[in-house]
Amino acid sequence: MIEALDPSIDLAAIRDEWTAIGLATGPDDAALRDRSIDLAYLAAGLEPPAIRIALRSPLEGVVGAAILEAIGQKWDSVGASVWDSVWASVGASVGAS
């Protein structure tokens, strides 16, 4: 339990620094961002993602996620259709032999 802080610690300055970081809207440091992502995944015992998509805002993130989800659903449908066609063709070829 902390009973007292060192008087040299300026909590107002620390608050202001982190508030500014939280409200920042400028470009990020891509190398620092990627390294931070890697460290967070590794700390959780997970493999860092091989693919990263950097977007400019939370709104772009929502739109990007929706697009990726729609592409995934389409791909699943196409994949299932191709799989069914291939197996039907293989079955017909084997049956004709």
Side-chain angles (χ1 to χ4, degrees):
M1 177 177 194
I2 298 174
E3 303 226 354
L5 290 176
D6 183 322
S8 67
I9 297 175
D10 184 356
L11 289 179
I14 293 169
R15 177 204 60 217
D16 292 345
E17 176 185 4
W18 284 102
T19 298
I21 290 169
L23 296 174
T25 59
D28 68 344
D29 178 336
L32 177 61
R33 178 196 63 230
D34 288 344
R35 182 70 181 136
S36 299
I37 291 168
D38 289 346
L39 291 173
Y41 271 81
L42 293 171
L46 302 170
E47 192 68 29
I51 298 172
R52 295 185 176 113
I53 300 172
L55 301 172
R56 296 173 294 183
S57 71
L59 177 59
E60 282 189 3
V62 170
V63 172
I67 290 169
L68 289 173
E69 183 178 359
I71 290 170
Q73 289 172 356
K74 288 279 189 196
W75 182 252
D76 289 346
S77 174
V78 169
S81 177
V82 169
W83 182 260
D84 292 344
S85 295
V86 168
W87 277 111
S89 176
V90 168
S93 296
V94 170
S97 298

